[in-house]
Protein backbone atom coordinates (compact mmCIF):
# COMPACT_ATOMS: atom_id res chain seq x y z
CA UNK A 1 0.00 0.00 0.00
CA UNK A 2 1.38 3.36 -1.04
CA UNK A 3 0.38 6.17 1.33
CA UNK A 4 1.52 9.58 2.45
CA UNK A 5 0.75 11.46 5.66
CA UNK A 6 0.48 15.12 4.78
CA UNK A 7 -1.10 18.36 5.92
CA UNK A 8 -4.69 18.62 4.81
CA UNK A 9 -5.67 21.11 2.15
CA UNK A 10 -8.91 23.05 1.93
CA UNK A 11 -10.12 20.75 -0.84
CA UNK A 12 -9.69 17.74 1.52
CA UNK A 13 -12.39 18.96 3.90
CA UNK A 14 -15.25 17.07 2.22
CA UNK A 15 -13.35 13.81 2.78
CA UNK A 16 -12.50 14.89 6.34
CA UNK A 17 -16.19 15.50 7.02
CA UNK A 18 -16.99 12.02 5.65
CA UNK A 19 -14.52 10.56 8.16
CA UNK A 20 -16.04 12.59 11.00
CA UNK A 21 -19.49 11.28 10.08
CA UNK A 22 -18.14 7.73 9.87
CA UNK A 23 -16.78 8.08 13.41
CA UNK A 24 -20.09 9.51 14.65
CA UNK A 25 -21.96 6.56 13.12
CA UNK A 26 -19.47 4.13 14.74
CA UNK A 27 -20.09 5.86 18.09
CA UNK A 28 -23.87 5.49 17.49
CA UNK A 29 -24.29 9.28 17.34
CA UNK A 30 -24.73 10.09 13.65
CA UNK A 31 -27.10 12.98 14.34
CA UNK A 32 -24.58 14.77 16.57
CA UNK A 33 -22.44 16.10 13.69
CA UNK A 34 -23.59 19.67 13.13
CA UNK A 35 -20.68 21.09 11.14
CA UNK A 36 -20.31 21.17 7.39
CA UNK A 37 -17.48 21.44 4.88
CA UNK A 38 -17.76 25.24 4.97
CA UNK A 39 -17.19 25.24 8.75
CA UNK A 40 -14.08 23.09 8.38
CA UNK A 41 -12.74 25.29 5.59
CA UNK A 42 -13.39 28.52 7.49
CA UNK A 43 -12.16 27.40 10.90
CA UNK A 44 -9.14 25.50 9.66
CA UNK A 45 -7.93 27.59 6.76
CA UNK A 46 -9.29 31.10 7.26
CA UNK A 47 -9.30 31.35 11.06
CA UNK A 48 -6.44 28.91 11.72
CA UNK A 49 -8.26 27.19 14.60
CA UNK A 50 -6.91 23.75 13.81
CA UNK A 51 -4.37 21.81 11.79
CA UNK A 52 -5.35 18.59 10.09
CA UNK A 53 -3.17 15.77 8.81
CA UNK A 54 -4.52 13.25 6.34
CA UNK A 55 -3.55 9.76 5.24
CA UNK A 56 -3.57 9.95 1.45
CA UNK A 57 -3.69 6.47 -0.07
CA UNK A 58 -3.26 6.58 -3.82
CA UNK A 59 -5.05 9.95 -3.98
CA UNK A 60 -7.91 9.03 -1.60
CA UNK A 61 -8.18 10.34 1.96
CA UNK A 62 -8.46 7.26 4.19
CA UNK A 63 -7.68 8.80 7.57
CA UNK A 64 -7.22 12.07 9.40
CA UNK A 65 -5.95 13.58 12.62
CA UNK A 66 -7.23 17.00 13.69
CA UNK A 67 -5.25 18.97 16.28
CA UNK A 68 -5.12 22.42 17.82
CA UNK A 69 -3.13 24.27 20.45
CA UNK A 70 -4.37 24.62 24.01
CA UNK A 71 -2.80 26.24 27.02
CA UNK A 72 -2.11 24.36 30.23
CA UNK A 73 -1.57 26.31 33.43
CA UNK A 74 0.93 23.60 34.41
CA UNK A 75 2.73 22.96 31.12
CA UNK A 76 2.15 25.98 28.87
CA UNK A 77 1.20 25.44 25.24
CA UNK A 78 0.05 21.91 24.44
CA UNK A 79 -1.29 20.14 21.37
CA UNK A 80 -4.77 18.64 21.69
CA UNK A 81 -5.64 15.77 19.37
CA UNK A 82 -9.38 16.15 18.82
CA UNK A 83 -9.87 13.14 16.58
CA UNK A 84 -7.82 10.52 14.82
CA UNK A 85 -9.99 8.59 12.38
CA UNK A 86 -9.17 5.84 9.91
CA UNK A 87 -11.83 4.42 7.62
CA UNK A 88 -13.04 1.09 8.93
CA UNK A 89 -11.90 -0.65 5.74
CA UNK A 90 -8.34 0.63 6.33
CA UNK A 91 -7.94 -0.20 10.03
CA UNK A 92 -5.03 -2.48 10.81
CA UNK A 93 -2.96 -1.17 7.89
CA UNK A 94 -0.71 1.13 9.93
CA UNK A 95 -2.41 4.36 8.85
CA UNK A 96 -3.61 5.15 12.38
CA UNK A 97 -0.14 4.65 13.82
CA UNK A 98 1.38 6.84 11.09
CA UNK A 99 -1.13 9.64 11.75
CA UNK A 100 -0.54 9.34 15.49
CA UNK A 101 3.22 9.55 14.97
CA UNK A 102 2.77 12.67 12.83
CA UNK A 103 0.78 14.33 15.62
CA UNK A 104 3.53 13.54 18.15
CA UNK A 105 6.14 14.91 15.72
CA UNK A 106 4.04 18.06 15.22
CA UNK A 107 3.94 18.62 18.97
CA UNK A 108 7.70 18.15 19.20
CA UNK A 109 8.32 20.48 16.23
CA UNK A 110 6.28 23.14 18.02
CA UNK A 111 8.08 22.75 21.34
CA UNK A 112 5.10 21.66 23.40
CA UNK A 113 5.54 19.78 26.64
CA UNK A 114 2.40 17.71 26.22
CA UNK A 115 0.20 16.18 23.56
CA UNK A 116 -3.22 15.28 24.94
CA UNK A 117 -6.43 13.64 23.82
CA UNK A 118 -9.42 11.72 25.09
CA UNK A 119 -10.02 8.02 24.46
CA UNK A 120 -13.18 6.08 25.22
CA UNK A 121 -12.74 3.59 28.07
CA UNK A 122 -14.32 0.96 25.82
CA UNK A 123 -11.63 1.35 23.16
CA UNK A 124 -9.27 -1.22 24.66
CA UNK A 125 -7.15 -1.57 21.51
CA UNK A 126 -6.45 2.17 21.39
CA UNK A 127 -5.70 2.33 25.11
CA UNK A 128 -3.20 -0.53 24.82
CA UNK A 129 -1.63 1.10 21.75
CA UNK A 130 -1.30 4.48 23.49
CA UNK A 131 0.17 2.95 26.65
CA UNK A 132 2.70 1.04 24.55
CA UNK A 133 3.84 4.34 22.99
CA UNK A 134 4.51 5.94 26.38
CA UNK A 135 1.22 7.78 26.87
CA UNK A 136 -0.15 8.14 30.39
CA UNK A 137 -3.87 7.34 30.61
CA UNK A 138 -5.50 9.51 33.32
CA UNK A 139 -8.13 7.12 34.64
CA UNK A 140 -9.36 9.31 37.49
CA UNK A 141 -10.24 12.34 35.36
CA UNK A 142 -13.57 13.09 33.71
CA UNK A 143 -14.15 14.86 30.42
CA UNK A 144 -16.80 17.53 30.91
CA UNK A 145 -18.88 19.04 28.09
CA UNK A 146 -21.56 21.71 28.21
CA UNK A 147 -23.60 21.85 25.01
CA UNK A 148 -25.80 24.64 23.68
CA UNK A 149 -28.78 23.64 25.81
CA UNK A 150 -26.65 23.59 28.95
CA UNK A 151 -25.08 26.93 28.07
CA UNK A 152 -28.50 28.55 27.63
CA UNK A 153 -29.81 26.96 30.84
CA UNK A 154 -26.75 28.11 32.75
CA UNK A 155 -27.05 31.68 31.45
CA UNK A 156 -30.78 31.85 32.29
CA UNK A 157 -30.00 30.95 35.89
CA UNK A 158 -27.49 33.80 36.04
CA UNK A 159 -29.99 36.50 35.04
Amino acid sequence: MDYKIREARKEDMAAVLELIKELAAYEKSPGEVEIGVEDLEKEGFENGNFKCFVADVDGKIEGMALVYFRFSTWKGRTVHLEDLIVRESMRGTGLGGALYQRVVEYGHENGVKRVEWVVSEGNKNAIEFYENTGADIKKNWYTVHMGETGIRKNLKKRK
Side-chain angles (χ1 to χ4, degrees):
M1 175 180 60
D2 186 29
Y3 71 88
K4 181 167 89 171
I5 305 301
R6 62 170 174 80
E7 284 189 28
R9 298 185 288 259
K10 201 172 189 178
E11 58 267 23
D12 296 326
M13 292 302 101
V16 167
L17 183 59
E18 283 177 24
L19 287 161
I20 292 167
K21 289 180 176 180
E22 186 174 314
L23 175 63
Y26 176 80
E27 295 288 341
K28 298 180 181 27
S29 300
E32 294 293 318
V33 178
E34 298 178 10
I35 64 167
V37 172
E38 303 79 23
D39 299 305
L40 292 168
E41 291 174 347
K42 179 181 177 187
E43 296 303 332
F45 297 90
E46 294 170 31
N47 296 342
N49 285 328
F50 65 81
K51 169 115 16 215
C52 186
F53 300 101
V54 294
D56 184 324
V57 181
D58 300 321
K60 184 175 183 212
I61 306 303
E62 298 285 6
M64 63 78 104
L66 190 143
V67 301
Y68 55 89
F69 290 107
R70 291 177 58 176
F71 189 83
S72 164
T73 55
W74 291 10
K75 300 293 181 186
R77 194 166 72 139
T78 67
V79 168
H80 181 80
L81 170 60
E82 179 64 22
D83 275 319
L84 191 156
I85 308 165
V86 174
R87 288 193 199 280
E88 190 170 4
S89 63
M90 297 299 288
R91 292 185 190 147
T93 63
L95 289 181
L99 282 162
Y100 174 78
Q101 191 60 40
R102 182 64 189 104
V103 168
V104 173
E105 289 168 0
Y106 178 73
H108 180 71
E109 291 164 5
N110 283 278
V112 302
K113 295 185 177 153
R114 180 167 66 203
V115 178
E116 57 194 358
W117 61 96
V118 176
V119 61
S120 167
E121 68 181 344
N123 195 342
K124 303 297 184 199
N125 290 340
I127 290 169
E128 184 179 333
F129 172 80
Y130 295 143
E131 287 176 330
N132 287 335
T133 65
D136 180 22
I137 310 290
K138 301 290 188 188
K139 295 179 179 143
N140 295 323
W141 290 76
Y142 292 93
T143 300
V144 180
H145 292 175
M146 181 183 287
E148 284 182 279
T149 302
I151 292 168
R152 284 194 296 275
K153 184 178 177 182
N154 177 279
L155 293 175
K156 268 187 184 175
K157 286 183 176 183
R158 297 275 182 202
K159 290 183 179 182

